[in-house]
Amino acid sequence: MTEKEIHNSYARIISSLDQGEMKNAFEMLQMFISGTKSYHYQGKLDELQETYQLMLRYYVEGMNDPMQEQIYANICAGAYELTDSIKHDSLHSFSSLQYYATRRNLSVQPTDLHTCIQQIQMAADVEDSSRYEESVDLMFDQIWSTAILSDNDVSDIRIALSSNYFPLSSKCQIVSALLLGLQVSFDREKIFLLFDAARIDDSEVSIRALIAICLVLYVYRRRTSYYPGIRQRLETLGESPDFQRIMTTIMMRFILSRETEKVSHKLQEEILPEMLKLTSQKKGFFIADLSELMDDEMNPEWKDFLSNSSLARKIEEYSELHEEGVDIMHSTFIHLKNFHFFRKLSNWFLPFSSNHTELSDKHGIDAATLEMVMQASSMCNSDMYSMYFSLFQLPESQRNAMLNQLSGQLGEMKEQQGAELKSKKSRAEIITGSYIQDLYRFYKLHPRHPEFDDIFNQSLEFHLLPILKPWFSDTETLFHIAELYLRKGYYEAALTVYNELITKDMTDCVLLQKRGYCKQMTGDINGALEDYLRSEMINPDSKWVIRKIAGCYRTLKQSAKSLEYYLHLDKLSPDNTSILINIGHCYLELKQHDEALKYYFKADYLSPNNQKAWRAIAWCSFLTGKYGQAQNYYAKIIENQPYTHDYLNAGHTAYALRDIKKALEYYAEAILCESGDFDKFADLFTRDIPELTVAGIHPTEISLILDWLRYQKN
């Protein structure tokens, strides 16, 4: 079998196992063994099938077997593990993936994991940095690329994790290596080692381990139920008083990680281009680094120059996102991950240390100063290394100038920004955010990132996992999760949580409103209306709910009901032009044109420059044959940033007045508004044929006009 065929066969078997289709899975496993010539696994497959068929026979014959559930779990777990083993053994000798290339390379290395861990300890004791770093890198690769750890390997790692003398940085790397290895190959013992790491009395290690546990439980959410020991270890871990709080923090941070690409796009497409414009307008206006953008207090120079500008508002929003925990630095470092340092897989997860051999003073850069800058600016570890290496790429004069600037600003940054961030964020939040950002950089920017299953392409809704649900089931935690989803526009995810919250309290009108809003935003207008009506029964004075009910009825083409609610809203908020225009729309849809015009004119009177009112008056006037009045309003509209429909309807009005040349001019402008797409224009035009016919225009004339326009576009 080719490498692609092996991966495809593996995926099909895992899919069948996930769906509980054991017979199909066994048949495909038989073909998998034959296709890969892995006949030494035939005995294991036969054993699994015989046990399964025997269990089925007992079940069908009605025999009460108290061990049936455990036997079934063992069969399923064995089938998963057999499938994994066949895949890894088949790919080991020829796959070009980094995982298998690393395995082949290590298979000829004389140093085993036990020796490697010993070398780390010895190198740390004598402060031999080069040997220490080399041994940590080797340990990382060995743990990551070993599909199933041996009993001796498990014992060695467990001893290292529990030792008070084994370096914390190395413990962090063990956690990352376990996580990366588990993504490729399920290994119960690796998961148990993560539980061991999560109990370590150091937040850097334990929080990384908790993040890894969440990810592994999510990736293998179909398998974990077959290993009762995993749930038992989790329940033991959950007895810690801080466990639920940290798990909630992890959940929130992963939700915020979804914002990274949106923020990066906004920075690159909106904020930076506007800054460049301003730079060209004002001599000396220069953004030295992004740390200034992250202050709550904007640069006074900017304030004078940017007052009342859209850029000022965007920068303020950008600062708020940073304070909230959104990863705003990703786009800054996208192109700074090509240094030799990042060729080593383990370095993507390495905690920053000014003692690293590649951060020596021989380049004239004070790494300790940079480490303090990182603490003040909340950079993740990966970005801090990038910052160092990018500084070294600068000409010496520029590098020295920037280092002097950093040194001069360091005290103020630490005192103002660092202290402020730390006062608002717990240590657990800072560590969680930093590690998730390190993971994000790896899965998005590693040169061979397509080879790794990107965890950030998954929804990562940990609160929905049955095994984790006990720690996400209280009302307060669910509420915070739902609010974050809602605020960030993830309406389907928010809807799931609001459904659960409402089952706990059916009379909370605010929850009903928010669920209704989520339904509305996901296209379930009937469901939204139902929730809004229930909310109205509890709180009949909510103007917002009344407006939403009116809008839903109008969307559902129930104009009479919509009108009823808009009229009620008009009494609660008199002289509101938006409400008046919507009342007019309802009357228009009910063919009560005179009533519609009455409300449109009132809106125009209250808000003389309201183009929505102008458009409504113009179109309603056209429909009622008041073409002169329609013409006057369309003339006003076209002088004020008109849209395609404005030109189209102005053309219809001119056509009804038999001013064919003027109509053609307007139609030509409408086509230009659609970037010259005549077919799109023709589609819009055709929809209005019934109204044109009422206006006295014969269908033959319409064909002539369209043909004339077709000739003109050529």
Side-chain angles (χ1 to χ4, degrees):
M1 296 179 79
T2 65
E3 183 169 358
K4 183 178 180 180
E5 289 171 336
I6 291 172
H7 284 295
N8 289 341
S9 295
Y10 175 81
R12 286 194 293 269
I13 296 169
I14 294 298
S15 178
S16 288
L17 291 173
D18 286 346
Q19 297 174 47
E21 300 170 349
M22 297 304 297
K23 184 177 184 300
N24 289 343
F26 286 143
E27 290 175 350
M28 287 189 285
L29 266 168
Q30 184 64 69
M31 291 187 288
F32 201 24
I33 288 173
S34 300
T36 58
K37 296 182 172 54
S38 305
Y39 298 114
H40 52 289
Y41 286 114
Q42 187 65 53
K44 178 63 177 176
L45 176 59
D46 292 341
E47 179 186 337
L48 288 171
Q49 290 196 86
E50 289 170 7
T51 306
Y52 185 61
Q53 290 171 356
L54 185 61
M55 187 200 76
L56 286 178
R57 188 180 310 150
Y58 274 39
Y59 173 74
V60 171
E61 292 176 358
M63 296 183 183
N64 183 22
D65 185 354
M67 295 297 294
Q68 178 181 302
E69 186 175 341
Q70 183 60 52
I71 292 171
Y72 181 71
N74 290 339
I75 293 170
C76 292
Y80 275 116
E81 292 169 4
L82 176 59
T83 308
D84 288 344
S85 297
I86 295 171
K87 182 187 81 167
H88 292 309
D89 285 0
S90 301
L91 294 173
H92 174 79
S93 61
F94 71 92
S95 174
S96 60
L97 294 177
Q98 186 172 356
Y99 177 81
Y100 296 103
T102 302
R103 287 181 61 165
R104 291 193 296 271
N105 181 53
L106 290 175
S107 66
V108 297
Q109 290 282 344
T111 307
D112 59 11
L113 184 60
H114 176 78
T115 304
C116 189
I117 289 175
Q118 285 186 324
Q119 290 176 347
I120 291 173
Q121 185 66 72
M122 289 187 293
D125 290 341
V126 299
E127 298 183 356
D128 186 343
S129 298
S130 296
R131 187 181 177 190
Y132 170 78
E133 292 164 13
E134 182 181 341
S135 299
V136 170
D137 292 337
L138 184 57
M139 175 194 69
F140 187 100
D141 286 344
Q142 288 174 329
I143 295 174
W144 163 56
S145 64
T146 302
I148 304 295
L149 294 173
S150 68
D151 291 342
N152 288 336
D153 287 343
V154 171
S155 177
D156 288 332
I157 295 171
R158 183 165 287 129
I159 291 172
L161 288 171
S162 62
S163 172
N164 292 329
Y165 302 101
F166 198 72
L168 287 174
S169 177
S170 297
K171 293 181 181 181
C172 288
Q173 291 297 76
I174 288 175
V175 169
S176 296
L178 290 169
L179 169 60
L180 219 58
L182 278 163
Q183 265 203 289
V184 185
S185 178
F186 182 91
D187 181 358
R188 180 184 59 180
E189 293 302 325
K190 284 181 182 175
I191 299 177
F192 288 161
L193 287 171
L194 287 176
F195 282 113
D196 291 336
R199 295 179 64 86
I200 292 175
D201 189 23
D202 183 271
S203 299
E204 285 284 357
V205 180
S206 62
I207 290 176
R208 286 172 181 242
L210 284 174
I211 292 171
I213 288 169
C214 288
L215 292 171
V216 171
L217 292 179
Y218 192 86
V219 169
Y220 293 107
R221 52 194 177 277
R222 302 286 192 277
R223 290 201 201 189
T224 49
S225 60
Y226 303 130
Y227 300 87
I230 293 176
R231 181 178 292 275
Q232 293 167 6
R233 290 293 301 270
L234 186 64
E235 290 173 350
T236 301
L237 200 59
E239 295 172 359
S240 167
D242 293 331
F243 182 78
Q244 183 171 6
R245 177 179 58 82
I246 295 174
M247 292 292 280
T248 303
T249 298
I250 292 170
M251 176 73 217
M252 297 296 209
R253 284 291 184 160
F254 272 109
I255 294 174
L256 289 173
S257 72
R258 300 185 185 189
E259 297 292 287
T260 304
E261 294 300 330
K262 290 194 290 186
V263 171
S264 296
H265 177 78
K266 192 167 188 175
L267 178 66
Q268 296 296 328
E269 300 298 324
E270 297 180 23
I271 298 178
L272 291 182
E274 287 199 42
M275 286 182 175
L276 291 174
K277 290 180 185 177
L278 291 173
T279 304
S280 64
Q281 294 171 15
K282 183 173 182 180
K283 185 178 180 180
F285 181 79
F286 176 67
I287 307 299
D289 58 60
L290 288 175
S291 62
E292 290 181 289
L293 299 184
M294 293 183 282
D295 286 327
D296 287 339
E297 183 74 13
M298 285 206 303
N299 188 322
E301 182 182 8
W302 295 0
K303 282 190 173 181
D304 293 337
F305 195 60
L306 307 177
S307 58
N308 300 319
S309 72
S310 61
L311 179 56
R313 292 190 296 274
K314 288 172 183 174
I315 292 175
E316 184 177 358
E317 178 188 354
Y318 197 65
S319 177
E320 290 171 355
L321 288 170
H322 172 68
E323 184 177 314
E324 184 181 25
V326 175
D327 182 1
I328 65 173
M329 302 297 287
H330 176 68
S331 61
T332 306
F333 289 93
I334 284 177
H335 304 293
L336 298 177
K337 301 298 180 185
N338 297 319
F339 300 108
H340 182 271
F341 178 83
F342 291 109
R343 292 183 184 177
K344 291 183 180 177
L345 188 70
S346 57
N347 284 345
W348 288 80
F349 312 97
L350 185 66
F352 184 83
S353 171
S354 58
N355 294 321
H356 196 280
T357 54
E358 294 204 37
L359 274 64
S360 62
D361 290 336
K362 65 183 180 181
H363 302 314
I365 300 177
D366 185 355
T369 298
L370 290 183
E371 187 171 14
M372 296 173 74
V373 172
M374 179 188 72
Q375 293 171 354
S377 62
S378 295
M379 285 186 193
C380 66
N381 298 286
S382 173
D383 288 353
M384 194 57 218
Y385 283 113
S386 293
M387 183 176 178
Y388 173 86
F389 296 118
S390 61
L391 282 173
F392 178 58
Q393 298 298 308
L394 294 175
E396 185 176 358
S397 58
Q398 292 184 25
R399 182 169 72 241
N400 291 336
M402 186 166 288
L403 287 171
N404 290 333
Q405 182 183 11
L406 285 173
S407 299
Q409 295 177 351
L410 179 60
E412 185 178 351
M413 286 179 65
K414 285 197 67 180
E415 181 179 348
Q416 294 181 0
Q417 188 177 32
E420 181 180 350
L421 285 172
K422 289 182 180 180
S423 68
K424 293 181 180 179
K425 299 178 184 177
S426 68
R427 176 169 168 76
E429 289 178 297
I430 294 171
I431 294 171
T432 301
S434 178
Y435 188 52
I436 290 175
Q437 288 179 19
D438 283 333
L439 290 171
Y440 196 92
R441 305 294 186 271
F442 170 74
Y443 286 106
K444 299 296 183 183
L445 304 178
H446 187 275
R448 300 179 70 167
H449 68 88
E451 295 184 12
F452 300 88
D453 291 331
D454 187 349
I455 58 175
F456 293 96
N457 286 340
Q458 304 186 52
S459 59
L460 301 177
E461 294 173 321
F462 303 127
H463 60 290
L464 298 181
L465 295 183
I467 196 170
L468 291 177
K469 204 167 184 61
W471 293 279
F472 292 108
S473 58
D474 65 288
T475 300
E476 183 180 1
T477 301
L478 287 173
F479 181 79
H480 288 314
I481 292 172
E483 290 294 294
L484 187 55
Y485 275 138
L486 178 64
R487 191 151 42 86
K488 297 303 179 184
Y490 304 113
Y491 301 114
E492 290 187 3
L495 181 58
T496 303
V497 187
Y498 282 126
N499 284 335
E500 186 169 350
L501 284 168
I502 288 173
T503 61
K504 298 173 182 285
D505 187 354
M506 304 286 288
T507 62
D508 190 323
C509 65
V510 176
L511 289 179
L512 288 168
Q513 291 170 16
K514 291 179 177 179
R515 185 174 73 172
Y517 182 75
C518 290
K519 289 179 179 179
Q520 178 185 338
M521 298 304 290
T522 54
D524 181 8
I525 306 302
N526 283 302
L529 179 59
E530 181 182 350
D531 279 338
Y532 291 146
L533 289 170
R534 287 176 60 188
S535 176
E536 186 205 14
M537 292 177 64
I538 301 168
N539 180 15
D541 299 324
S542 172
K543 297 178 185 178
W544 185 87
V545 171
I546 295 170
R547 181 188 282 271
K548 288 295 180 182
I549 292 172
C552 285
Y553 274 128
R554 186 160 175 245
T555 302
L556 294 170
K557 307 300 182 184
Q558 298 183 41
S559 302
K561 291 293 294 182
S562 179
L563 177 61
E564 176 186 333
Y565 276 90
Y566 275 126
L567 288 171
H568 178 42
L569 192 60
D570 184 42
K571 292 178 182 178
L572 297 175
S573 299
D575 297 338
N576 182 302
T577 55
S578 176
I579 296 170
L580 293 171
I581 290 172
N582 276 297
I583 291 173
H585 291 338
C586 290
Y587 277 122
L588 184 65
E589 290 158 5
L590 293 168
K591 309 299 183 184
Q592 299 181 38
H593 299 119
D594 290 340
E595 285 295 316
L597 276 173
K598 183 170 71 175
Y599 279 92
Y600 290 150
F601 277 123
K602 185 176 180 180
D604 185 30
Y605 172 77
L606 292 171
S607 180
N609 295 315
N610 191 323
Q611 292 194 52
K612 290 183 179 179
W614 293 353
R615 288 187 175 93
I617 292 170
W619 182 243
C620 193
S621 298
F622 174 80
L623 293 177
T624 55
K626 300 174 182 177
Y627 303 125
Q629 183 170 277
Q631 185 181 50
N632 292 335
Y633 273 90
Y634 278 124
K636 292 168 63 176
I637 293 167
I638 287 172
E639 291 177 357
N640 292 273
Q641 297 180 326
Y643 301 131
T644 302
H645 277 90
D646 297 326
Y647 284 117
L648 182 67
N649 294 337
H652 293 341
T653 303
Y655 206 172
L657 290 168
R658 311 311 296 178
D659 188 347
I660 296 177
K661 288 187 176 181
K662 192 65 176 177
L664 289 170
E665 289 178 13
Y666 284 136
Y667 291 149
E669 290 293 338
I671 295 171
L672 288 176
C673 284
E674 294 299 328
S675 303
D677 188 338
F678 179 83
D679 292 336
K680 194 169 183 179
F681 163 79
D683 180 59
L684 296 173
F685 188 101
T686 304
R687 296 178 194 178
D688 293 340
I689 287 178
E691 286 77 14
L692 291 172
T693 303
V694 172
I697 300 171
H698 195 274
T700 302
E701 293 184 86
I702 293 173
S703 298
L704 294 174
I705 279 286
L706 288 174
D707 270 345
W708 173 266
L709 291 168
R710 286 189 181 95
Y711 275 115
Q712 299 309 303
K713 80 182 182 70
N714 295 326

